[in-house]
Amino acid sequence: MMNQILFAGVIGLFLTLVGTPLLIKLLARKGYGQYIRDDGPREHASKRGTPTMGGIAFILATVAAYFLSKVITGKPPTYSGLLVLGLMCGMGLVGFLDDYIKIVKRRSLGLRAKAKMAGQLIVGIAFAVLSLQFSDSRGNTPASTKLSFITDFGWTIGPVLFVVWALFMILAMSNGVNLTDGLDGLATGASVLVFGAYTFIGVWQFQESCANGETLTNPSACYEVRDPLDLAVIASALMGACLGFLWWNTSPAKIFMGDTGSLALGGVLAGLAICSRTELLIALLGGLFVLITMSVVIQVGSFKLTGKRVFRMAPLQHHFELKGWSEVLVVVRFWIIQGICVIVGLGLFYAGWAADK
């Protein structure tokens, strides 16, 4: 059954390595180039016109990799897998409309704020409501109304509050990835690390699933997750697809993911966290996204309250650029920070299981 994970990752990697340059040519031919802010670092001016909406490449590659891995192994899709993929595609569609209006319609702000928020809410609510349906033989649905860290810890919040909580997670992660997507390869590389973590988490939860009964090494610490292996398949497909995309997205980037990609990645990260019962752990596993989001909150809050800015520019990556760090230096050091967050997060995940022995 683990072959699904390997096939999904390899297929996702191959499709974006081969497909992204084709997308670059198509977007360049149509003139769908990136708009660059005039108030940003001067070095970014050279990026104006670089093809964007590259998220199309890894969204399509992930979906194809998932279903091809199912065809190859003869395993059926699961409700959890389909819901998480649907969340990714739905958020990606909202981002695509935003990118399309910015670039094709020449409206610099893209979708109006209310329309963009409405799109995200529709997708998020649909995912949250449906994720509480489709019980398996053990009564597990893709999501749970209990709050979770490394597993459910018992606080039941009910379906209404769960929908609100799921929406918060989806919006927070989407905006976090969107804010991080400001330097070549930064958000893509950071996402690869988190998807790698969720591949491991899914495999571990599958091996230690309460449904496995007497084969468990630690029955007192088993996981009641509906489809952990399928979540690992999706995470592996995303890891491979993003790695292939990173080949073309790293400095100097030949293509940007745009809101199409950043909203999709943020949405699928939230979906993986919700369906794997690691809702609060995602704040650590995706620590770089949280850090960059908080830099914007601090900057805006400080300016409104005191009229002074804490950073030279927000999001945080641009602060260090304006301090004289090269773009590649910022990206690599931020990847290291993200890697540390993933290591600590996985350490806590394993420690939680081992502590119940």
Side-chain angles (χ1 to χ4, degrees):
M1 296 183 73
M2 299 298 176
N3 288 342
Q4 297 178 68
I5 297 171
L6 177 61
F7 288 139
V10 170
I11 293 170
L13 173 64
F14 174 78
L15 289 178
T16 47
L17 276 175
V18 174
T20 302
L22 300 177
L23 180 62
I24 292 171
K25 291 179 181 179
L26 175 63
L27 295 172
R29 190 180 305 123
K30 290 183 173 294
Y32 293 173
Q34 177 69 33
Y35 167 79
I36 302 296
R37 290 168 51 182
D38 293 329
D39 59 343
R42 290 191 301 273
E43 293 80 4
H44 288 204
S46 62
K47 302 181 184 206
R48 184 174 284 110
T50 301
T52 189
M53 295 193 288
I56 295 170
F58 56 74
I59 291 172
L60 293 179
T62 298
V63 173
Y66 175 79
F67 284 106
L68 285 173
S69 72
K70 295 297 179 183
V71 171
I72 293 171
T73 60
K75 302 297 181 182
T78 67
Y79 286 114
S80 297
L82 294 176
L83 283 171
V84 171
L85 286 178
L87 177 60
M88 177 186 71
C89 294
M91 295 297 288
L93 178 59
V94 175
F96 173 80
L97 293 174
D98 191 41
D99 286 335
Y100 185 83
I101 291 171
K102 284 178 187 173
I103 296 162
V104 179
K105 301 299 183 182
R106 305 296 180 184
R107 198 168 80 200
S108 62
L109 295 179
L111 273 176
R112 302 192 187 280
K114 290 183 179 179
K116 189 173 183 179
M117 179 61 71
Q120 291 176 299
L121 289 176
I122 291 170
V123 173
I125 290 172
F127 169 81
V129 171
L130 290 173
S131 67
L132 294 178
Q133 314 302 317
F134 313 115
S135 299
D136 64 8
S137 59
R138 297 179 61 85
N140 291 319
T141 54
S144 169
T145 56
K146 294 180 179 179
L147 291 177
S148 60
F149 180 46
I150 54 179
T151 187
D152 290 342
F153 56 74
W155 292 357
T156 301
I157 58 177
V160 175
L161 284 180
F162 167 77
V163 171
V164 174
W165 171 238
L167 280 175
F168 169 77
M169 288 187 61
I170 292 166
L171 294 175
M173 288 308 301
S174 296
N175 288 322
V177 178
N178 186 255
L179 291 170
T180 304
D181 182 37
L183 301 181
D184 294 357
L186 178 57
T188 310
S191 297
V192 166
L193 294 171
V194 187
F195 292 134
Y198 271 109
T199 302
F200 171 83
I201 287 172
V203 170
W204 190 268
Q205 289 179 333
F206 173 71
Q207 292 177 338
E208 300 298 325
S209 171
C210 298
N212 291 340
E214 296 179 357
T215 63
L216 295 173
T217 58
N218 184 10
S220 63
C222 65
Y223 298 95
E224 287 287 7
V225 177
R226 192 191 191 285
D227 305 298
L229 186 64
D230 224 34
L231 298 178
V233 172
I234 290 175
S236 177
L238 280 160
M239 181 172 61
C242 286
L243 270 174
F245 182 74
L246 183 60
W247 182 271
W248 305 102
N249 180 233
T250 195
S251 183
K254 299 293 188 295
I255 189 169
F256 300 136
M257 69 170 68
D259 281 8
T260 306
S262 61
L263 294 188
L265 290 181
V268 78
L269 283 170
L272 288 170
I274 291 168
C275 291
S276 65
R277 312 292 201 268
T278 55
E279 295 163 357
L280 297 178
L281 187 63
I282 188 63
L284 183 53
L285 291 174
L288 180 65
F289 305 130
V290 175
L291 178 65
I292 287 175
T293 301
M294 290 307 300
S295 73
V296 175
V297 173
I298 292 169
Q299 184 85 327
V300 173
S302 175
F303 187 76
K304 287 187 175 181
L305 291 173
T306 67
K308 297 180 180 179
R309 293 179 172 86
V310 176
F311 307 106
R312 295 188 181 186
M313 184 178 180
L316 188 61
Q317 62 268 32
H318 299 315
H319 166 79
F320 288 103
E321 278 193 293
L322 293 177
K323 286 191 68 175
W325 291 19
S326 70
E327 180 176 10
V328 173
L329 182 62
V330 175
V331 169
V332 172
R333 286 181 173 173
F334 276 38
W335 281 351
I336 293 171
I337 292 171
Q338 179 58 61
I340 293 170
C341 290
V342 165
I343 291 170
V344 174
L346 287 178
L348 287 174
F349 176 79
Y350 178 78
W353 175 84
D356 287 332
K357 275 190 173 182

